């Protein structure tokens, strides 16, 4: 507390003194703010945190004082499936990036006692419209992701999800809307009835059966062939490159049982119609799909964009069920643009809809 004399020269002197002190304070605060905003990105940090009864492995890239982009992967995808190039491009846009292993995947908690899905029974019950017993649902995985934000003391984030992760991102946005700054849903469905379950079943029929035990050799064969089939015709990747990437991930973790449980949860959620909930969203949204996706039909992505008010639609020519390095700049620019809308919050109006 400053003491101000009531009259005369002492008061003028005191005012002058106060103004100088205040000017120095303002200048110092401005310098600290500039240092905070202009500081180079912090080095990547990795660790484990408790979340919704699980222990999740995560990596944080970029300046922790920046707004967070939370990346949510697809079925059985480890955090390393989000390429370093993609993550660093987001960091270069001024974001903090969090990627993580979901439960039953990578280095996070494994549900060893849950057993494998009973696929014949699951398919029969699903076709009959009956409830399907699962080790967990995608709603559980959405709670895990929100728990991760809690553990890292992140109040709100830009949520980006791909494939199964796109459905989880949708669930986070509809169930925990106050935690989401913007939503990006990549190559995911909204569960609209009548959509074909697979875009190109004749392509996926060429995949070998997924392994059920931790046989690294079998997992390598499956991983390489699956990525080839899901790849982008416009941006083919050499088999040697795919093999090296899959082998690197398998050295980090090989857990086919978790992959099977992920797949069961994703299949069941893909049949849940989420459109009524998605219509209530008031968050800036980007919907992305490759026009050569052999797994999730383009019509599914189009319907997500048509359902969410004000959603922007980005169709990537020649892209399959992946994010090839060649489209990273376009995708990162689009994510940054929808994130910027979170602060403008214009009235929700109809953007051009996919035809």
């Amino acid at each position: 507390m400053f003491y101000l004399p009531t009259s005369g020269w002492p008061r003028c002197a005191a005012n002058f003194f106060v103004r100088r002190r205040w000017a120095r304070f303002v200048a110092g605060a401005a310098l600290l703010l500039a240092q905070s905003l202009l500081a180079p990105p912090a080095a990547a940090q990795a660790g484990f945190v408790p979340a919704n009864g699980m222990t999740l492995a995560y990596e944080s890239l970029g300046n922790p004082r920046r707004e967070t982009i939370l990346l949510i992967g697809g079925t059985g995808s480890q955090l390393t499936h989000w390429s370093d190039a993609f993550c660093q491009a987001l960091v270069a846009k001024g974001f903090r990036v969090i990627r993580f292993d979901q439960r039953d995947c990578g280095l996070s908690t494994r549900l060893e006692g849950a057993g494998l899905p009973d696929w014949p029974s699951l398919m029969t019950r699903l076709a009959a419209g009956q409830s399907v017993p699962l080790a967990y649902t995608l709603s559980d995985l959405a709670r895990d992701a929100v728990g991760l934000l809690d553990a890292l003391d992140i109040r709100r984030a830009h949520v980006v999800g791909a494939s199964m992760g796109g459905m989880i991102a949708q669930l986070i946005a509809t169930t925990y809307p106050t935690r989401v700054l913007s939503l990006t849903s990549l190559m995911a469905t909204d569960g609209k009835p009548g959509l074909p379950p697979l875009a190109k079943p004749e392509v996926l029929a060429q995949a070998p059966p997924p392994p059920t035990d931790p046989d690294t050799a079998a997992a390598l064969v499956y991983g390489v062939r699956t990525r080839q089939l899901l790849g982008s015709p416009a941006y083919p990747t050499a088999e040697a490159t795919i093999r090296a990437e899959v082998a690197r991930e398998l050295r980090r973790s090989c857990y086919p049982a978790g992959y099977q449980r992920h797949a069961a949860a994703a299949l069941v959620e893909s049949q849940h119609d989420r459109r009524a909930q998605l219509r209530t969203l008031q968050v800036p949204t980007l919907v992305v799909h490759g026009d050569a996706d052999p797994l999730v039909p383009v019509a599914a992505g189009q319907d997500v964009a048509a359902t969410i008010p004000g959603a922007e639609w980005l169709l990537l020519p020649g892209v399959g069920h992946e994010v090839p390095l060649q489209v990273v700049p376009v995708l990162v620019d689009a994510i940054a643009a929808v994130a910027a809308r979170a602060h403008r919050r214009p009235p929700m109006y109809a953007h051009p809809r996919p035809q």
Side-chain angles (χ1 to χ4, degrees), residues 282-284 309-310 312 337-338 340-349 351:
Q282 295 295 308
V283 63
E312 298 178 9
V338 80
R341 283 178 52 204
H343 303 290
R344 294 198 299 267
R345 290 297 175 119
M348 287 297 180
Y349 55 90
H351 288 257

Side-chain angles (χ1 to χ4, degrees), residues 182-204:
S182 71
L183 167 65
T184 298
S185 175
L186 293 92
M187 45 201 178
T189 184
D190 58 8
K192 178 183 178 181
L195 287 172
L198 298 173
K200 299 177 181 179
E202 71 281 3
V203 172
L204 299 177

Side-chain angles (χ1 to χ4, degrees), residues 313-350:
W313 168 248
L314 176 60
L315 186 64
L316 300 173
V319 171
H321 198 75
E322 63 168 358
V323 179
L325 292 177
Q326 294 88 339
V327 304
V328 163
V330 172
L331 180 56
V332 166
D333 283 347
I335 292 172
V338 80
R341 283 178 52 204
H343 303 290
R344 294 198 299 267
R345 290 297 175 119
M348 287 297 180
Y349 55 90

Side-chain angles (χ1 to χ4, degrees), residues 58-352:
Y58 78 95
E59 286 186 2
S60 173
L61 301 94
N63 191 328
R65 291 184 288 269
R66 298 301 185 106
E67 287 186 349
T68 296
I69 289 181
L70 178 67
L71 301 177
I72 306 175
T75 302
S77 295
Q78 300 184 54
L79 63 84
T80 49
H81 199 68
W82 295 103
S83 72
D84 291 341
F86 177 67
C87 294
Q88 291 298 339
L90 290 170
V91 170
K93 287 287 186 180
F95 296 101
R96 176 191 190 184
V97 175
I98 303 290
R99 55 183 178 178
F100 70 104
D101 293 333
Q102 301 191 72
R103 68 166 73 182
D104 245 1
C105 176
L107 306 182
S108 292
T109 296
R110 297 179 174 182
L111 280 73
E112 302 280 7
L116 295 174
D118 183 345
W119 286 104
S121 173
L122 186 152
M123 298 302 293
T124 299
R125 296 178 70 90
L126 202 57
Q130 301 173 346
S131 63
V132 178
L134 295 168
Y136 43 80
T137 67
L138 295 201
S139 292
D140 294 319
L141 300 187
R143 281 190 288 273
D144 291 354
V146 173
L148 172 64
L149 294 179
D150 290 339
L152 297 177
D153 198 26
I154 299 170
R155 189 170 66 89
R156 305 178 75 191
H158 302 282
V159 180
V160 177
S163 194
M164 180 184 80
M167 292 190 287
I168 295 171
Q170 294 172 23
L171 288 167
I172 294 173
T174 55
T175 311
Y176 310 94
T178 61
R179 308 301 298 272
V180 178
L181 285 167
S182 71
L183 167 65
T184 298
S185 175
L186 293 92
M187 45 201 178
T189 184
D190 58 8
K192 178 183 178 181
L195 287 172
L198 298 173
K200 299 177 181 179
E202 71 281 3
V203 172
L204 299 177
Q206 302 174 44
T212 57
D213 54 59
D215 179 347
T216 303
L220 180 62
V221 171
Y222 176 78
V224 170
R225 185 57 180 147
T226 300
R227 291 199 189 182
Q228 289 175 323
L229 295 172
L230 296 179
S232 302
Y235 309 103
T237 303
E239 180 177 339
T241 300
I242 296 175
R243 185 173 299 276
E245 291 175 351
V246 174
R248 177 172 61 92
E249 293 187 0
L250 291 174
R251 285 194 296 271
R252 183 174 182 268
S253 175
C254 178
Y255 191 49
Y259 177 92
Q260 295 266 343
R261 290 188 286 270
H262 272 200
L267 176 62
V268 171
E269 185 59 41
S270 73
Q271 303 303 302
H272 286 172
D273 189 350
R274 294 181 299 283
R275 291 177 298 163
Q277 292 76 28
L278 292 174
R279 290 190 187 102
T280 69
L281 287 182
Q282 295 295 308
V283 63
T285 299
L286 171 68
V287 181
V288 183
H289 220 98
D291 70 359
D293 190 334
L295 181 60
V296 181
V298 173
Q302 289 175 321
D303 198 70
V304 175
T307 299
I308 299 175
E312 298 178 9
W313 168 248
L314 176 60
L315 186 64
L316 300 173
V319 171
H321 198 75
E322 63 168 358
V323 179
L325 292 177
Q326 294 88 339
V327 304
V328 163
V330 172
L331 180 56
V332 166
D333 283 347
I335 292 172
V338 80
R341 283 178 52 204
H343 303 290
R344 294 198 299 267
R345 290 297 175 119
M348 287 297 180
Y349 55 90
H351 288 257

